[in-house]
Structures are given as C-alpha cells and as structure tokens.
C-alpha cells in the first residue's frame, strides 16, 4: 500500500529462513530465484487473434525467453526493460518491416495494443523517404550522438534539440 507501482515486486518467494553466510550476514548468492514460468501460470493466457498479433507474440516470447505469454500480457510486467525494449523494436523492424519507436512500445506494451496501433498507422512517415543513409567511414557515433538517437527513438519527431537560430 505504501510503495509506488514501480517498486512493487512482480514475484515473491517464500522462505522459511534467510540463508546466512559464516559471518551471519544474508548470503545473497544462496537465495532462491523466483520461477518466472510459475508466477506467470496464475494469469489468463489469451492466444493471438490476427496474423500480426501472432507475429508480435512470437517476438515477445523470443525477446523475453518465455513460452507462456498472451496477447494481453504487458512487456514490462513480464520482466522487460529498456534494453530488451530496444532489442524488441529492432526485431520488429527486421521481421515485420515496421518501424516501432520506443515511445510507441512504452505506450502500447502488449501485443494486442501494439498490433492495433500498427494496423492503424503507416509504418513509415512520408518525410522519412527523403532521408538517405550515408556511407559509414568507420567512425563510431559519439556518446552525445547515441544519446540523441536514443531520445529520438523514445520520442520521434520532437524538435526539442533543434536550433532555430544561430547567433554570432
């Protein structure tokens, strides 16, 4: 009742006693990990209704390494995080040819909601046709460039970092 939602554990493990090391401290390595499949069995598993939902569900299962996932199961409730979300958006682009921003995945974090969003929208905005990938001369992106790319993946099309005027 007192914790914010993001601090409430998704799984609990009941122990008779905490394992202690020789010094009397909690032996964290000896603690039993929760069985993810077991706590997922408690929920209802709804299978895919459309081909797009089936493809997204397969990508969800592959990314999260879980077999029992339904179309209404939330990516982040199942243990997904921002790094896995980035991997999932890349797999969606690779397998389905649809660009999904991180923001879209955060907003529609179930296969059913994402399929609904992808079905209603054109996967590539009209202005993206004008952008041509340049030749890479072996230079890696700087930390600042990677940071701006990540922000653009999270909130695409924002003009937050545009410079509207230059001053001398």
């Amino acid at each position: 009742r007192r914790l914010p939602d993001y601090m409430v554990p998704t799984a609990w493990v009941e122990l008779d006693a905490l394992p202690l090391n020789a010094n009397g401290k909690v032996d964290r390595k000896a603690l039993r990990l929760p069985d993810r499949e077991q706590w997922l069995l408690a929920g209802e598993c709804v299978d895919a209704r459309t081909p797009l939902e089936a493809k997204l569900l397969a990508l969800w299962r592959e990314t999260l390494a879980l077999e029992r996932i339904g179309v209404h199961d939330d990516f982040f409730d199942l243990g997904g995080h921002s790094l896995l979300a980035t991997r999932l958006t890349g797999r969606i682009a690779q397998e389905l040819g649809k660009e999904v921003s991180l923001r879209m995945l955060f907003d529609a974090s179930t296969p059913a909601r994402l399929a609904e969003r992808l079905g209603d929208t054109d996967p590539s905005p009209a202005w993206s046709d004008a952008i041509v990938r340049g030749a890479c001369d072996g230079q890696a992106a700087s930390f600042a460039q990677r940071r701006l790319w990540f922000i653009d993946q999270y909130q695409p099309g924002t003009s937050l970092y545009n410079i509207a005027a230059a001053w001398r």
Side-chain angles (χ1 to χ4, degrees):
R1 283 185 266 184
R2 295 181 184 173
L3 290 175
D5 288 339
Y6 66 91
M7 292 180 75
V8 176
T10 54
W12 298 85
V13 175
E14 189 172 329
L15 300 172
D16 294 329
L18 289 174
L20 302 176
N21 62 18
N23 295 329
K25 296 180 181 177
V26 175
D27 187 2
R28 295 181 187 272
K29 293 179 183 175
L31 286 172
R32 196 172 43 138
L33 293 175
D35 182 14
R36 292 193 322 166
E37 294 287 339
Q38 185 65 32
W39 58 266
L40 287 175
L41 290 174
E44 182 183 352
C45 186
V46 178
D47 206 17
R49 300 162 295 201
T50 65
L52 181 57
E53 281 184 359
K55 290 175 184 176
L56 288 172
L57 196 55
L59 292 174
W60 245 253
R61 289 176 178 152
E62 178 187 324
T63 304
L64 293 170
L66 293 172
E67 286 300 317
R68 190 177 183 281
I69 300 176
V71 292
H72 298 299
D73 291 334
D74 190 278
F75 180 78
F76 301 102
D77 288 345
L78 297 174
H81 47 76
S82 60
L83 295 176
L84 285 177
T86 304
R87 183 180 300 166
L88 180 62
T89 58
R91 293 286 294 137
I92 291 171
Q94 182 182 21
E95 294 291 322
L96 305 177
K98 296 180 182 267
E99 291 295 324
V100 175
S101 67
L102 286 176
R103 170 55 100 187
M104 185 184 290
L105 185 61
F106 275 85
D107 290 341
S109 56
T110 67
R113 283 188 291 189
L114 189 59
E116 183 179 305
R117 293 273 303 267
L118 290 176
D120 293 342
T121 60
D122 180 18
S124 59
W127 52 265
S128 70
D129 296 336
I131 299 174
V132 178
R133 182 182 297 257
C136 179
D137 57 358
Q139 294 180 349
S142 69
F143 177 74
Q145 290 169 327
R146 286 182 286 181
R147 183 181 66 218
L148 289 175
W149 176 85
F150 180 79
I151 290 171
D152 185 64
Q153 295 299 305
Y154 187 68
Q155 285 185 311
T158 182
S159 61
L160 189 60
Y161 289 97
N162 289 357
I163 300 174
W167 296 92
R168 181 175 265 209

mmCIF file of all heavy atoms in Angstrom, residues 50 52-53 56 108 110-120:
data_model
loop_
_atom_site.group_PDB
_atom_site.id
_atom_site.type_symbol
_atom_site.label_atom_id
_atom_site.label_comp_id
_atom_site.label_asym_id
_atom_site.label_seq_id
_atom_site.Cartn_x
_atom_site.Cartn_y
_atom_site.Cartn_z
ATOM 1 N N THR A 50 -5.106 -12.415 -34.697
ATOM 2 C CA THR A 50 -4.781 -11.994 -36.057
ATOM 3 C C THR A 50 -3.352 -12.423 -36.380
ATOM 4 O O THR A 50 -2.564 -12.694 -35.472
ATOM 5 C CB THR A 50 -4.888 -10.462 -36.200
ATOM 6 O OG1 THR A 50 -3.893 -9.851 -35.373
ATOM 7 C CG2 THR A 50 -6.272 -9.954 -35.812
ATOM 8 N N LEU A 52 -0.907 -10.554 -37.433
ATOM 9 C CA LEU A 52 0.025 -9.570 -36.875
ATOM 10 C C LEU A 52 0.234 -9.812 -35.383
ATOM 11 O O LEU A 52 1.361 -9.766 -34.891
ATOM 12 C CB LEU A 52 -0.467 -8.144 -37.130
ATOM 13 C CG LEU A 52 0.420 -7.018 -36.627
ATOM 14 C CD1 LEU A 52 1.823 -7.112 -37.220
ATOM 15 C CD2 LEU A 52 -0.211 -5.666 -36.921
ATOM 16 N N GLU A 53 -0.850 -10.086 -34.651
ATOM 17 C CA GLU A 53 -0.720 -10.397 -33.222
ATOM 18 C C GLU A 53 0.119 -11.648 -33.014
ATOM 19 O O GLU A 53 0.923 -11.715 -32.088
ATOM 20 C CB GLU A 53 -2.099 -10.594 -32.586
ATOM 21 C CG GLU A 53 -2.823 -9.324 -32.256
ATOM 22 C CD GLU A 53 -4.141 -9.575 -31.539
ATOM 23 O OE1 GLU A 53 -4.509 -10.754 -31.310
ATOM 24 O OE2 GLU A 53 -4.808 -8.588 -31.209
ATOM 25 N N LEU A 56 3.798 -10.699 -33.511
ATOM 26 C CA LEU A 56 4.268 -9.910 -32.370
ATOM 27 C C LEU A 56 4.412 -10.788 -31.131
ATOM 28 O O LEU A 56 5.371 -10.645 -30.370
ATOM 29 C CB LEU A 56 3.318 -8.744 -32.096
ATOM 30 C CG LEU A 56 3.344 -7.611 -33.107
ATOM 31 C CD1 LEU A 56 2.227 -6.619 -32.824
ATOM 32 C CD2 LEU A 56 4.691 -6.905 -33.103
ATOM 33 N N ALA A 108 2.091 1.260 -25.927
ATOM 34 C CA ALA A 108 1.328 0.064 -26.290
ATOM 35 C C ALA A 108 2.198 -1.148 -25.981
ATOM 36 O O ALA A 108 2.824 -1.709 -26.868
ATOM 37 C CB ALA A 108 0.952 0.118 -27.765
ATOM 38 N N THR A 110 1.515 -4.224 -24.910
ATOM 39 C CA THR A 110 1.027 -5.582 -25.089
ATOM 40 C C THR A 110 0.966 -5.873 -26.581
ATOM 41 O O THR A 110 0.812 -4.944 -27.387
ATOM 42 C CB THR A 110 -0.378 -5.783 -24.476
ATOM 43 O OG1 THR A 110 -1.321 -5.017 -25.224
ATOM 44 C CG2 THR A 110 -0.420 -5.379 -23.018
ATOM 45 N N PRO A 111 1.080 -7.130 -26.986
ATOM 46 C CA PRO A 111 0.991 -7.437 -28.416
ATOM 47 C C PRO A 111 -0.326 -6.980 -29.040
ATOM 48 O O PRO A 111 -0.351 -6.505 -30.175
ATOM 49 C CB PRO A 111 1.123 -8.962 -28.461
ATOM 50 C CG PRO A 111 1.883 -9.316 -27.238
ATOM 51 C CD PRO A 111 1.458 -8.320 -26.206
ATOM 52 N N ALA A 112 -1.432 -7.079 -28.305
ATOM 53 C CA ALA A 112 -2.731 -6.676 -28.846
ATOM 54 C C ALA A 112 -2.775 -5.174 -29.112
ATOM 55 O O ALA A 112 -3.212 -4.734 -30.178
ATOM 56 C CB ALA A 112 -3.846 -7.081 -27.882
ATOM 57 N N ARG A 113 -2.327 -4.372 -28.145
ATOM 58 C CA ARG A 113 -2.360 -2.918 -28.327
ATOM 59 C C ARG A 113 -1.388 -2.469 -29.405
ATOM 60 O O ARG A 113 -1.689 -1.577 -30.181
ATOM 61 C CB ARG A 113 -2.052 -2.206 -27.003
ATOM 62 C CG ARG A 113 -3.245 -2.210 -26.063
ATOM 63 C CD ARG A 113 -2.988 -1.349 -24.880
ATOM 64 N NE ARG A 113 -1.952 -2.015 -24.068
ATOM 65 C CZ ARG A 113 -1.581 -1.636 -22.861
ATOM 66 N NH1 ARG A 113 -2.109 -0.581 -22.317
ATOM 67 N NH2 ARG A 113 -0.671 -2.293 -22.200
ATOM 68 N N LEU A 114 -0.209 -3.098 -29.467
ATOM 69 C CA LEU A 114 0.763 -2.714 -30.492
ATOM 70 C C LEU A 114 0.268 -3.108 -31.877
ATOM 71 O O LEU A 114 0.430 -2.346 -32.839
ATOM 72 C CB LEU A 114 2.124 -3.339 -30.209
ATOM 73 C CG LEU A 114 3.262 -2.838 -31.083
ATOM 74 C CD1 LEU A 114 3.446 -1.341 -30.937
ATOM 75 C CD2 LEU A 114 4.550 -3.550 -30.750
ATOM 76 N N ALA A 115 -0.354 -4.264 -32.002
ATOM 77 C CA ALA A 115 -0.918 -4.680 -33.290
ATOM 78 C C ALA A 115 -2.006 -3.710 -33.730
ATOM 79 O O ALA A 115 -2.107 -3.360 -34.907
ATOM 80 C CB ALA A 115 -1.475 -6.095 -33.189
ATOM 81 N N GLU A 116 -2.799 -3.250 -32.776
ATOM 82 C CA GLU A 116 -3.848 -2.275 -33.087
ATOM 83 C C GLU A 116 -3.236 -0.964 -33.571
ATOM 84 O O GLU A 116 -3.691 -0.387 -34.552
ATOM 85 C CB GLU A 116 -4.690 -2.037 -31.826
ATOM 86 C CG GLU A 116 -5.862 -1.115 -32.014
ATOM 87 C CD GLU A 116 -6.632 -0.956 -30.722
ATOM 88 O OE1 GLU A 116 -7.054 -1.985 -30.155
ATOM 89 O OE2 GLU A 116 -6.771 0.190 -30.264
ATOM 90 N N ARG A 117 -2.187 -0.511 -32.897
ATOM 91 C CA ARG A 117 -1.513 0.731 -33.304
ATOM 92 C C ARG A 117 -0.849 0.585 -34.668
ATOM 93 O O ARG A 117 -0.884 1.490 -35.483
ATOM 94 C CB ARG A 117 -0.447 1.134 -32.280
ATOM 95 C CG ARG A 117 -0.956 1.553 -30.927
ATOM 96 C CD ARG A 117 -1.312 3.017 -30.817
ATOM 97 N NE ARG A 117 -0.282 3.951 -31.135
ATOM 98 C CZ ARG A 117 0.564 4.510 -30.293
ATOM 99 N NH1 ARG A 117 0.513 4.176 -29.021
ATOM 100 N NH2 ARG A 117 1.449 5.375 -30.694
ATOM 101 N N LEU A 118 -0.203 -0.553 -34.906
ATOM 102 C CA LEU A 118 0.486 -0.762 -36.180
ATOM 103 C C LEU A 118 -0.495 -0.941 -37.327
ATOM 104 O O LEU A 118 -0.182 -0.582 -38.464
ATOM 105 C CB LEU A 118 1.416 -1.974 -36.101
ATOM 106 C CG LEU A 118 2.647 -1.811 -35.233
ATOM 107 C CD1 LEU A 118 3.424 -3.114 -35.171
ATOM 108 C CD2 LEU A 118 3.523 -0.691 -35.740
ATOM 109 N N GLY A 119 -1.666 -1.472 -37.030
ATOM 110 C CA GLY A 119 -2.668 -1.648 -38.073
ATOM 111 C C GLY A 119 -3.285 -0.342 -38.521
ATOM 112 O O GLY A 119 -3.695 -0.208 -39.662
ATOM 113 N N ASP A 120 -3.322 0.662 -37.621
ATOM 114 C CA ASP A 120 -3.955 1.941 -37.920
ATOM 115 C C ASP A 120 -3.016 2.952 -38.548
ATOM 116 O O ASP A 120 -3.467 3.925 -39.127
ATOM 117 C CB ASP A 120 -4.539 2.568 -36.636
ATOM 118 C CG ASP A 120 -5.704 1.753 -36.108
ATOM 119 O OD1 ASP A 120 -6.257 0.953 -36.877
ATOM 120 O OD2 ASP A 120 -6.047 1.927 -34.933
#
